[in-house]
Amino acid sequence: FDAMGVIGSVDVLFDAARVAIEVDGRAYHGVDQFQSDRERDNRLVGAGYVVLHFTWEDLLHRPDVVIHQVRAALSRSKNAQYPL
């Protein structure tokens, strides 16, 4: 939530740590979706969230990098309650 209400949905949310994760794919990112995703991301950042973006290729071929970046974001949170 922010001053405008519900911000939107993300693929993975660690709400207590204020970390949002998006898996981006070309199939779902037409002009309208691309625009709304940017607006949502900006609102999330404005509300104090870190927003991480990964591609499907990242998940398939670089899972170690994805895990490292997610753990790093979670560990920086003052509210981190997740086992790393």
Side-chain angles (χ1 to χ4, degrees):
F1 289 96
D2 67 3
M4 295 169 41
V6 174
I7 294 173
S9 62
V10 295
D11 293 323
V12 178
L13 180 66
F14 294 93
D15 197 31
R18 316 274 305 162
V19 174
I21 300 170
E22 281 290 295
V23 178
D24 297 326
R26 291 185 184 139
Y28 298 105
H29 286 90
V31 174
D32 292 340
Q33 187 64 47
F34 184 83
Q35 181 65 39
S36 67
D37 285 354
R38 301 297 76 74
E39 292 171 8
R40 182 209 54 225
D41 287 0
N42 289 342
R43 287 179 63 196
L44 284 166
V45 170
Y49 286 84
V50 171
V51 181
L52 301 176
H53 287 267
F54 300 103
T55 65
W56 189 250
E57 290 296 312
D58 290 331
L59 296 179
L60 290 178
H61 301 292
R62 301 173 355 129
D64 53 329
V65 172
V66 173
I67 291 167
H68 174 77
Q69 291 178 353
V70 171
R71 284 181 172 166
L74 291 174
S75 70
R76 284 192 294 272
S77 169
K78 294 179 182 177
N79 299 322
Q81 301 172 8
Y82 304 97
L84 304 175

